[in-house]
Amino acid sequence: MTRLSVNINKVATLRNARGGNNPSVVQVAQDVERFGAQGVTVHPRPDERHITTKDVYDLKEIVSTEFNIEGYPDDRFMQILKDIRPDQATLVPDPPHVLTSNAGWDTVQNRERLSDIISEIKALGIRTSIFVEPEVHIIEGAAQIGTDRIELYTEMYATAHKQSPEKAIHDYKLAAIKAKELGIGINAGHDLDQHNLKYLVEQIPFIDEVSIGHALICDALYYGLENTIQLYLRELK
């Protein structure tokens, strides 16, 4: 079964809007694990608009499933990885000012740089994943830089799924098949929700993990966090 990692950035966004520690990202991380999620994802941006650096260090002490830290591999991010040693580091190419991750790495143009970064992270005993778009030559480039996994950027899939699921999944299936052939693990994330998740994992059943935050937290406002986690796990089954 594809594993569910819950991105708790939006919990921190809500907390930061008022100050204080309500809701507590530590408590929510413990709860999503208790409710059945197999991982916790955070993206500590430099401006700390949601997850703060302190949050990451606090979460290190309590996350008992898989801890996945996303981010742009600048000096700050690399120091966090050295200190925390999460289970997985997911590299995203977006600079600090963007609202959310909106593109994947060009693994061909950035081959030398990414190779060095991947080697450094793997030397820390951390599994590596890089955020990519569903293009076969990009997947081939990912294999050349030595990453353990890719994370398929699924915004285009989620948008196109509303009109034609078959067309929406086409490039993703080709990319996933190529990754599998090359021995690269596959994650997926961005705009996945209860409407499009099941079809994705039915068509690409060898996806290792999905990272879901925004839609899941929004659903939890209506269904409750525990029930929402179970609803998403049901889609993955």
Side-chain angles (χ1 to χ4, degrees):
M1 184 181 118
T2 301
R3 296 163 64 87
L4 172 64
S5 183
V6 176
N7 186 317
I8 60 173
N9 291 346
K10 287 300 185 294
V11 176
T13 300
L14 180 59
R15 175 201 61 191
N16 294 352
R18 189 66 180 265
N21 193 40
N22 186 25
S24 163
V25 295
V26 168
Q27 184 62 56
V28 170
Q30 291 175 313
D31 287 339
V32 299
E33 291 182 320
R34 183 163 56 90
F35 298 152
Q38 295 102 348
V40 174
T41 292
V42 294
H43 187 152
R45 292 181 178 274
D47 62 6
E48 299 195 334
R49 72 185 74 159
H50 39 64
I51 291 293
T52 67
T53 303
K54 181 179 184 302
D55 288 332
V56 183
Y57 286 82
D58 290 344
L59 289 166
K60 169 184 167 59
E61 302 302 320
I62 61 93
V63 173
S64 60
T65 57
E66 179 185 278
F67 194 18
N68 174 41
I69 302 179
E70 299 178 338
Y72 182 78
D74 56 13
D75 290 342
R76 170 183 171 273
F77 183 77
M78 296 300 290
Q79 187 60 55
I80 289 173
L81 296 185
K82 291 173 184 176
D83 292 344
I84 302 297
R85 307 292 175 102
D87 301 284
Q88 178 173 265
T90 299
L91 306 183
V92 295
D94 53 329
H97 66 275
V98 301
L99 182 63
T100 186
S101 302
N102 57 13
W105 286 101
D106 185 331
T107 57
V108 178
Q109 294 266 344
N110 295 282
R111 177 179 175 182
E112 184 174 347
R113 179 188 177 204
L114 286 173
S115 294
D116 291 342
I117 293 169
I118 292 293
S119 294
E120 184 177 351
I121 295 173
K122 292 174 77 170
L124 298 172
I126 303 168
R127 185 172 70 236
T128 58
S129 178
I130 59 168
F131 202 56
V132 296
E133 295 176 33
E135 300 177 26
V136 169
H137 79 284
I138 294 294
I139 307 306
E140 292 171 338
Q144 293 175 356
I145 66 172
T147 187
D148 299 303
R149 292 187 183 181
I150 56 168
E151 179 174 334
L152 292 171
Y153 170 41
T154 48
E155 181 180 8
M156 295 82 74
Y157 162 75
T159 300
H161 179 272
K162 299 170 186 175
Q163 285 74 43
S164 173
E166 295 81 8
K167 289 182 180 179
I169 201 67
H170 179 268
D171 290 350
Y172 287 87
K173 287 184 72 172
L174 293 179
I177 289 168
K178 175 56 68 173
K180 187 177 181 182
E181 288 175 354
L182 295 172
I184 304 173
I186 304 166
N187 298 339
H190 207 92
D191 287 351
L192 296 176
D193 59 27
Q194 290 189 70
H195 304 290
N196 57 44
L197 180 58
K198 184 176 182 179
Y199 187 76
L200 177 72
V201 296
E202 283 179 344
Q203 295 298 307
I204 312 175
F206 44 90
I207 291 176
D208 294 293
E209 173 186 294
V210 291
S211 175
I212 305 178
H214 183 80
L216 190 150
I217 298 302
C218 289
D219 286 341
L221 295 175
Y222 290 91
Y223 308 125
L225 185 58
E226 181 173 9
N227 191 39
T228 299
I229 296 289
Q230 293 305 310
L231 289 171
Y232 276 84
L233 289 173
R234 186 172 67 185
E235 294 302 298
L236 291 174
K237 292 177 182 176

